[in-house]
Amino acid sequence: MKKVLTVGVFDLLHIGHIELFRKAKALGDYLIVAVQDSDCVFQFKPDASLVYSTEERCYMVSAIRYVDEVVVYRNVGDIVDEVDFDLFAKGPDQSHAGFQRVVDYCGENDKEVVVMARTEGISSSELKDLIKCMK
């Protein structure tokens, strides 16, 4: 069985997230989605505004039919040691040093890395900006 791992915050679920899960699941047999812990989001992005708690985000992600397992992660560089997977699916914008460590880890441990294309015309940041404008 080929296990696929993808990671993210997944605060405002939208069609782009669903497409990520659908396409990532198609790369293997079992999809593990790691949701970043809220405290860690604020640690890396102090000005972040999250709508949902870690638990609520995990609950929503777990309800999506393409997702087989949801785990919480603190640091992307550590999740690869904590989860058994064969393929790491990441977004094109997930390129900071932590993600580079994951890519290096995958290369050293016979794990595949696939960069997933973004869904055109949708992003969580744009949704949050739109909601602010509607107030």
Side-chain angles (χ1 to χ4, degrees), residues 1-124:
M1 176 166 44
K2 188 173 188 178
K3 294 182 180 181
V4 178
L5 171 64
T6 194
V7 304
V9 176
F10 308 116
D11 188 39
L12 286 180
L13 281 178
H14 54 69
I15 191 81
H17 293 135
I18 305 304
E19 280 298 285
L20 166 67
F21 301 147
R22 183 183 68 78
K23 291 174 182 175
K25 174 68 177 241
L27 296 172
D29 306 299
Y30 189 85
L31 178 60
I32 304 163
V33 177
V35 174
Q36 190 168 35
D37 182 84
S38 295
D39 292 339
C40 294
V41 173
F42 294 126
Q43 178 184 346
F44 293 110
K45 297 179 184 177
D47 58 342
S49 59
L50 294 178
V51 176
Y52 296 103
S53 70
T54 304
E55 294 77 17
E56 290 168 326
R57 291 182 285 121
C58 287
Y59 175 74
M60 290 187 295
V61 169
S62 71
I64 297 167
R65 71 178 173 172
Y66 305 110
V67 177
D68 296 297
E69 182 179 349
V70 176
V71 297
V72 176
Y73 78 100
R74 298 185 60 74
N75 181 313
V76 70
D78 296 334
I79 192 65
V80 293
D81 293 323
E82 299 166 5
V83 174
D84 176 35
F85 70 99
D86 304 295
L87 184 148
F88 184 70
K90 71 180 209 72
D93 57 338
Q94 293 177 316
S95 57
H96 64 67
F99 282 98
Q100 189 53 54
R101 283 193 300 278
V102 171
V103 169
D104 293 344
Y105 170 91
C106 290
E108 295 163 2
N109 292 278
D110 251 358
K111 299 191 185 290
E112 201 176 338
V113 176
V114 174
V115 178
M116 308 297 286
R118 294 184 62 86
T119 302
E120 285 292 317
I122 187 78
S123 80
S124 297

